Amino acid sequence: MRRNAPIWLARAPIWLARPTRFAGLTASQARIALGMLAILLLATLLALGTPGPPAVSGNAANRADDQTDVVLYETIVANVRHGGSYYPVTAEALRAGNYPLRPFVVFRLPTLAMVEAATPDIVTSMMLYALVAATALAWFRRLAPAFARGPPRLVAMALLAGGLMAFVQSDLRYFHEIWAGLFVALSIALRRRDFWLPSVAFGLAAVLVRETAAPYLALMAFFAFLEGNRREGLSWIGAIAVVAVALVAHAQAVDQVVRTTDPTSPGWAGMLGFGFFVKTVAISTALGIAPLWLAAPLIGLSLFGWAAWSDALGLRMLALLSGYAAILATVGRTDTFYWGLLIAPVSLVGLAFAVDGIRDLLVAALDQRRITVRRVVR
């Protein structure tokens, strides 16, 4: 009896300390994976035909037009700082800016505004920079063991810096997604199987600043239960319960200041597709300075890189980015592009894992070696 079977001899990783998730695939499996990667990269080019936010003029005199939402939140903080009550102040600011006041979620949770109103601007900026530094340090400690040498670690940190570009602009400190995105990034970097309470705490902080970060809590609870860590899963569920209580109280407070004549939001069913997700990530990171035809495939390669990293964190990051890709593709609008900031900080780091991932797929797909096994029956 004779049987032919492919043999793939493992190659030493190029950058990584361990082989990727794709090491050891058969030739047929690798070819399928390469085909899926090609489809993903082609799909990212949909961003070229996807509408985006209006261009920024770059003129300081036009700041109110270029940063409409930032000016809105800055005004709310200033009025609360001067003795105003958050909900009436926010309602008046929304009316003055011709914003919708219904449903209640168009009002941001008061967490960030109350903190910023209670602290001087210089202190708020220092807090923002400290959070950026803490996030970068947490990710350096988490990523360092993944790479075999110093240069790839530097590349990974450069990619992290590219994702953090928007987060070191102090004039964006009034933007809720800036803080929530950093809290999410810090939370997922700190998570350990046997040390997860700080991760839950920072995840909860993210959602109490911006409720659109809530899918992150659900995702982390899912993975905790999937890994059999019941106590961690219950902690994430507890955080979701806290957020639910906060949102109920928030809705009741909003109801007290909204009038029947106030306009309602047109809804969030933008249905702009996967290209809109790609464009929002590009705009939210250093890739915003690159032509979109180049930036878009790089975002696809970063998604591939997270899938290639043979680590539980790689799967969590892939699920997080994929989840927000689905959200932005279906309910995102051109004026909600800033939701991409929730996942921007480490969205590009996957590129550092893509190098070994592509090499492993190519080697496996091109392998033609066979071994003949002969069994003689006497």
Side-chain angles (χ1 to χ4, degrees):
M1 179 177 178
R2 180 175 295 178
R3 182 181 60 188
N4 289 338
I7 286 184
W8 183 84
L9 299 178
R11 303 288 184 90
I14 303 172
W15 281 10
L16 302 181
R18 295 187 304 171
T20 70
R21 199 179 302 277
F22 303 127
L25 292 183
T26 65
S28 59
Q29 290 171 335
R31 290 164 189 159
I32 292 172
L34 284 171
M36 294 175 66
L37 174 59
I39 293 172
L40 171 63
L41 296 180
L42 288 173
T44 63
L45 296 178
L46 292 171
L48 297 174
T50 302
V56 176
S57 68
N59 188 340
N62 297 332
R63 179 173 180 265
D65 295 325
D66 291 341
Q67 298 183 348
T68 307
D69 287 353
V70 175
V71 172
L72 169 69
Y73 305 137
E74 185 179 356
T75 301
I76 292 170
V77 169
N79 289 339
V80 172
R81 184 177 288 163
H82 288 88
S85 180
Y86 175 75
Y87 287 98
V89 160
T90 303
E92 290 307 313
L94 290 171
R95 291 188 187 104
N98 295 316
Y99 287 89
L101 278 79
R102 294 180 292 178
F104 75 94
V105 290
V106 301
F107 282 68
R108 298 292 183 263
L109 287 164
T111 313
L112 181 61
M114 299 305 293
V115 170
E116 292 189 325
T119 55
D121 288 341
I122 184 65
V123 174
T124 304
S125 296
M126 291 175 63
M127 289 168 57
L128 178 61
Y129 295 145
L131 183 56
V132 171
T135 302
L137 177 60
W139 272 96
F140 174 77
R141 295 179 63 181
R142 188 65 181 83
L143 291 171
F147 298 96
R149 299 182 305 280
R153 294 189 189 104
L154 293 178
V155 170
M157 294 310 295
L159 291 168
L160 177 66
L164 290 171
M165 280 188 61
F167 298 81
V168 293
Q169 300 179 40
S170 62
D171 59 334
L172 295 182
R173 64 185 179 275
Y174 300 101
F175 223 60
H176 298 72
E177 283 78 5
I178 289 289
W179 296 86
L182 287 170
F183 281 133
V184 167
L186 181 57
S187 169
I188 199 168
L190 291 177
R191 188 266 170 189
R192 300 290 188 278
R193 183 173 177 83
D194 57 347
F195 185 65
W196 33 262
L197 281 178
S199 178
V200 175
F202 283 116
L204 176 59
V207 185
L208 290 179
V209 169
R210 188 67 170 104
E211 71 281 356
T212 46
Y216 170 70
L217 300 183
L219 180 143
M220 295 299 280
F222 169 78
F223 274 103
F225 284 118
L226 186 66
E227 293 180 353
N229 196 336
R230 184 171 178 271
R231 290 182 62 189
E232 180 189 354
L234 291 175
S235 295
W236 290 107
I237 294 297
I240 293 172
V242 171
V243 170
V245 172
L247 286 176
V248 169
H250 178 62
Q252 293 174 343
V254 170
D255 188 61
Q256 300 300 312
V257 297
V258 173
R259 304 168 185 163
T260 56
T261 55
D262 286 326
T264 300
S265 169
W268 287 271
M271 302 300 291
L272 295 176
F274 180 68
F276 182 64
F277 159 75
V278 174
K279 182 169 282 190
T280 59
V281 174
I283 291 171
S284 303
T285 64
L287 290 180
I289 63 177
L292 191 56
W293 60 262
L294 174 61
L298 289 177
I299 292 169
L301 285 174
S302 186
L303 288 171
F304 167 79
W306 286 117
W309 187 21
S310 184
D311 189 280
L313 180 54
L315 286 182
R316 280 177 165 80
M317 279 302 306
L318 178 63
L320 178 65
L321 294 171
S322 299
Y324 274 95
I327 291 171
L328 286 164
T330 54
V331 302
R333 299 192 314 242
T334 55
D335 59 347
T336 60
F337 68 95
Y338 48 79
W339 289 0
L341 292 169
L342 293 170
I343 53 173
V346 289
S347 58
L348 303 183
V349 177
L351 284 168
F353 302 108
V355 175
D356 281 81
I358 292 175
R359 195 285 305 270
D360 287 345
L361 285 182
L362 288 174
V363 170
L366 297 174
D367 182 56
Q368 299 295 325
R369 287 167 291 187
R370 296 290 185 272
I371 185 172
T372 299
V373 178
R374 177 175 293 174
R375 187 175 65 186
V376 178
V377 180
R378 296 179 183 272

